[in-house]
Amino acid sequence: MAEQTNQDSTKSLMEEIGITDREIANRCAFLELGEKDIKELLGIDPVAEAYADPVIEDFYKHLLNFEETRVFFQDRQVLERVKRAQKQYFARLTRGNYDKDYIEDRLKIGAVHERIGLPVKAYLGMYNFYLRNVAARLFDEYKNDREKALRAFLSLLKVVFLDMGLAIDTYINRREQLIGKQQEAMRELPTPVLRVRERLLILPVVGVLESYRAHQLTEQLLESIGTTRAKAAIVDITGVPVVDSRVANHLLQTVSAARLMGATVILTGLSSQIAQALVAIGVDLSQVKTTVDLQSGLEEAERLLGYRLVPAGDKARSDQLHP
């Protein structure tokens, strides 16, 4: 296990996200980023080096005007370190050679921003600010050759959009990993099948109910029905935020399987949103007993089992009349 963890930690972000050499070539081709663009960008590299400092200063002044981004740079030393790193980042845009090392470096930077919680809109806003400032400086630098300024800017635009795509990939990858871990943790949570009374079971379901977990819960319920010889089982989904068509169909199969084992399943806790969604996607629940809440489900189950609740006062009077 330790060896596997070590291997995972050394896996590059490109491998983790699934970006191959072919994928890099396809992205560049889609953006029409080619040799002519590289030549244009190398031609303006000295200019880019000259405008790097003022653009970075203006950019961080802009960031510090907003509370949601200012919170990341309250430490002066951190701010200066980030400025230096940002200068290197922008400088790399005009130096050509957009190879695997370049891609890996961009992915790492995107991963860092995602890890510290920088919003995607702030990350994309950074590119917007940079491009607007650079455009003004390029057209000022080449005011006697505006066609050259436009060519250089369009070439820069292609590289920036390559970077933006990579940044978004890292955000999506990290969020998918987080969701995956949460789902795995949810799957490992025990969901007990509770025996309320003779021949009556309750299965309370809480959290996201996706196909794998629905299958697990079905197995638990059917096994408990067989063990306890239950005649009624309540599946309470009050704590489930969303039920899609696949999970709904799985619940229908559970009801049918329980019926074959001699038990009636009562589905309780359907919210109005889930009910409307199931109707909209055409899920047929006509063969399923449903109630609005757990209390109603218990009353229905007790009726099916032949139980009758009698208030204590009524029972006392009955005992007096029939000693």
Side-chain angles (χ1 to χ4, degrees):
M1 186 68 181
E3 182 180 351
Q4 180 65 41
T5 303
N6 185 57
Q7 289 175 352
D8 291 343
S9 65
T10 58
K11 183 186 291 186
S12 71
L13 277 170
M14 284 182 61
E15 293 173 317
E16 187 178 306
I17 296 174
I19 299 178
T20 61
D21 291 340
R22 184 174 181 178
E23 170 66 13
I24 297 171
N26 285 340
R27 293 193 185 204
C28 290
F30 189 79
L31 293 168
E32 297 184 329
L33 174 61
E35 292 299 325
K36 289 184 179 179
D37 297 297
I38 292 174
K39 185 177 180 180
E40 291 288 347
L41 292 170
L42 289 173
I44 66 166
D45 187 53
V47 179
E49 183 68 26
Y51 65 57
D53 283 332
V55 167
I56 294 298
E57 289 299 323
D58 289 346
F59 172 65
Y60 279 94
K61 284 179 183 176
H62 180 69
L63 278 185
L64 296 175
N65 286 328
F66 299 89
E67 178 61 33
E68 62 182 330
T69 48
R70 183 167 62 242
V71 68
F72 295 101
F73 308 107
Q74 294 180 350
D75 187 307
R76 185 69 185 175
Q77 291 182 339
V78 170
L79 178 60
E80 292 304 318
R81 185 169 66 251
V82 171
K83 283 182 181 180
R84 290 193 297 271
Q86 196 71 59
K87 180 181 177 181
Q88 294 175 357
Y89 178 87
F90 284 143
R92 185 68 180 82
L93 289 169
T94 55
R95 290 179 182 167
N97 194 23
Y98 308 108
D99 56 7
K100 290 176 65 173
D101 289 339
Y102 179 89
I103 301 298
E104 185 70 23
D105 179 67
R106 266 27 191 176
L107 291 173
K108 287 178 180 177
I109 293 171
V112 168
H113 283 103
E114 191 281 332
R115 188 166 60 249
I116 65 173
L118 187 72
V120 176
K121 62 182 180 181
Y123 200 93
L124 298 181
M126 172 184 73
Y127 288 111
N128 170 63
F129 188 93
Y130 171 77
L131 286 170
R132 287 187 292 109
N133 275 264
V134 169
R137 292 173 187 278
L138 280 176
F139 279 93
D140 183 61
E141 178 70 23
Y142 299 107
K143 53 190 172 186
N144 296 324
D145 191 352
R146 301 184 70 81
E147 187 174 326
K148 176 177 176 56
L150 179 60
R151 287 198 312 269
F153 180 73
L154 292 178
S155 294
L156 181 62
L157 200 61
K158 295 176 185 180
V159 178
V160 167
F161 270 84
L162 175 65
D163 278 26
M164 288 169 63
L166 295 170
I168 292 172
D169 281 344
T170 60
Y171 273 79
I172 293 174
N173 178 61
R174 296 302 186 191
R175 298 296 164 84
E176 287 179 344
Q177 286 183 345
L178 178 60
I179 291 171
K181 290 178 181 177
Q182 290 173 337
Q183 289 178 338
E184 188 63 31
M186 186 65 72
R187 288 170 183 168
E188 293 175 358
L189 285 175
T191 303
V193 180
L194 307 174
R195 185 178 181 182
V196 181
R197 60 181 59 185
E198 188 71 21
R199 305 294 177 91
L200 175 57
L201 302 175
I202 292 182
L203 176 62
V205 186
V206 178
V208 177
L209 187 61
E210 34 74 42
S211 295
Y212 177 83
R213 188 165 179 240
H215 180 72
Q216 278 188 320
L217 296 179
T218 296
E219 288 186 345
Q220 287 178 262
L221 179 61
L222 296 179
E223 183 179 343
S224 295
I225 289 173
T227 302
T228 64
R229 295 187 297 166
K231 292 298 182 182
I234 299 172
V235 178
D236 181 54
I237 61 170
T238 304
V240 177
V242 178
V243 175
D244 61 19
S245 59
R246 186 178 301 177
V247 171
N249 287 324
H250 200 92
L251 290 173
L252 291 176
Q253 293 173 11
T254 302
V255 171
S256 298
R259 188 181 297 122
L260 289 175
M261 297 180 69
T264 299
V265 173
I266 302 170
L267 192 62
T268 70
L270 274 80
S271 67
S272 59
Q273 292 86 351
I274 290 179
Q276 291 176 31
L278 293 179
V279 170
I281 61 181
V283 176
D284 182 12
L285 293 178
S286 60
Q287 302 302 313
V288 182
K289 290 185 179 295
T290 60
T291 63
V292 68
D293 56 28
L294 181 57
Q295 179 61 40
S296 301
L298 282 168
E299 292 170 359
E300 176 66 16
E302 288 172 336
R303 186 188 66 77
L304 289 172
L305 294 172
Y307 291 107
R308 185 168 64 90
L309 295 179
V310 178
D314 291 350
K315 186 177 186 306
R317 284 193 296 272
S318 176
D319 290 342
Q320 292 172 359
L321 291 174
H322 304 284

